[in-house]
Amino acid sequence: MLRPIRFLALTAVLTTALAVPAMTPAMAQAPTRHEAENAAVSQGTVESNHAGFSGTGFVNYDNVAGGYVEFAVNAPSAGTASIVLRYANGTTTNRPMTVAVNGTSVTRDFPGTGAWSTWASTTITAPVNAGANTIRATATTAGGGPNLDYAEVDVAAPASEYQAENAVISQGIVDTKHAGYTGSGFVDYANVEGSYVEFTVDAAAAGNAALTFRYANGTTVNRPLAVAVNGTSVNRDFPGTGAWSTWAEITVNAALRAGPNTVRATATTANGGPNLDRLTVSAGGPSDTEKPTAPGGLRSTATTSSSISLAWNASTDNSGTIKDYRVYEGTSLKATVSGTSATITGLAPSSTHTYTVTARDPSDNESDRSASVTATTQAGGTGTPVQANGQLKVCGVRLCNERGEQIQLRGMSTHGLQWYSQCLNTASLDALATDWKSDILRISMYIQDGGYESNPRQFTDRVHNLIEMATARGMYAIVDWHMLDPGDPMYNLSRAKTFFTEIAQRHNGKNNLLYEIANEPSGVSWSTIRNYAHQLIPVIRQNDPDTPILVGTRAWSSLGVSEGSDENEVVANPVNATNIMYTFHFYAASHGSDYLNTLSRAADRIPVFVTEFGTQEATGDGPNNFTRSQQYIDLMAQKKISWVNWNYSDDFRSGAVFTTGTCPNGPFAGTSRLKPAGVWIRDRVRAD
């Protein structure tokens, strides 16, 4: 929810690449030189009037802010690249540039070199992808950039040997008391169940690999480990080796993706794991002919008049990875998904269908079929919001249904799941769908304040459950990553990647979701928020290419207004992604005409979704301003701006729609337990 206006000092932060574990390197690749005169040049000219350049010339930035040189760089493998920019600056004034690698930027100084024929260089370290990459150097001042001669790119060879003592260690210790180890030591699992060693393994390309663990087990008791590759686990035995100074090897065949992979070896018994010396990775492991286990627990989770939603339990495979699942009706393939759920659409009302599911591993070995499940679609009728509109998409600056028609969704947001989950049960969501006639439920999962950070598994499962409950009722659902304090979304980036990966993998077959990836950023620049979006959106898109993504805006999602800006910062520098919208939040008793006018202008220029608003003050409490609220409601109806109100709970504040004590027993339908704001907003949600 919104907070009062405040001003924070900003500190420029340069994000550096992660350190790579100690390794035995593969054959190094020679640095690749890319001449500036052969690159894409905007608002600059190729010249050769100053001596000392390489190639056939250099680029003069022509004293223009925004001029750039963009290099197309093909990297032999994913990894960390050292990028050397050779330049000359014949003035005494620094000519800074923003250097963006695949859209992620850092600003560098290019000070005077004494003369235009005196060349110097600066080096930037950044992650690159296997294959195509872009490196853009953009002038940031009216003086333009320096003269640019070339970019020389050197990609560190991916590791093949990883020492355990340099990996991430949980509840274990680095020790040297037993002879025969390699490197500077080994990891003792300290006789703790759940202790683990986690390696980050860079692969030049996707494919099979042999993961060989060197270990010692001086007992006669097996010390098994769960070996998880990118989160998918397989159990392996690590039997006694005769002595703690006698080392042996166990190999696990796995499928790696291009770029970084996580390999975690976790002790599964109270004895802990063996002593672990190192992990060796050999690309192109033996071909895999073992098929995965058949999926279990196939079930129907929801039906509409035109669709059946299915879910099942995950399969396991000797490689540790499941590539995808296939849904069949008889011999006909109906869907292929990466997660453990799918929705089959385009079905006739009152029709019966029987499905089975198989799993495939990275070598395309397909499992036996699951047990079958039979489900019947509902009778035809006017239908739920999802039946009426199907898969949403962004068209132009509006939200559209599957037929490309502009629509407006109206609905409610939960309060924090850590505080008011008792308000979200079968009866309350039935009332929201049928009595309130809500199109959409916003599932607000706080990250801090006792939320996700305190128990990721518990809160992820709560979101899974609420998605299924909204789906069963034909409502759309916003999965709200409710970051609030701290206001910098980058603080929670790794957590967001983990969370949205699981959500997208499990629910990518559904057509009723939207992902809100940053609730209310504050105290940070728009470029920081944009950078966060550029890092998180590709993670989601790997698993779910179709669901619209909602990006928070600066100053508590006010499009910058609460910190003295407006929508122009987004219009001038939009997120480089498709099928996205930008969020706007307001509280009518605190936010007057400047906010209202900003929303009106912005909706004509960029796709906007009001994912949170209240009729009260910015604290979610205090007196209601229904007159100003109606002005917002009228504007949003006129411009088809979808909206969600805060909040569907019995919190004591005036912004909670139910009177204190309503949850969990209700009643939730009708107006008998509603506060004034609840009565007012229910009427607007229900309006034709």
Side-chain angles (χ1 to χ4, degrees), residues 13-14 50 85 105 156 248 324 351 427 437 458 467 501 547 557 611 619 640-641 649 657:
V13 178
L14 173 61
H50 300 297
L85 298 175
S105 303
D324 56 34
S351 59
K437 301 185 185 301
Q458 178 187 66
I467 289 172
T501 294
T547 293
S557 285
T611 56
T619 59
K640 290 191 179 297
I641 303 171
S649 82
V657 296

Side-chain angles (χ1 to χ4, degrees), residues 3 80 119 208 214 275 280 282 299 309 335 348 376 392 430 433 500 536 542 571 579 629:
R3 296 291 179 88
T80 301
W119 299 86
N208 291 330
R214 188 172 189 263
N275 289 346
T280 303
S282 303
R299 56 205 179 270
S309 295
T376 301
L392 302 178
D430 282 346
F500 279 107
L536 182 55
Q542 285 178 0
V571 174
N579 206 24
S629 297

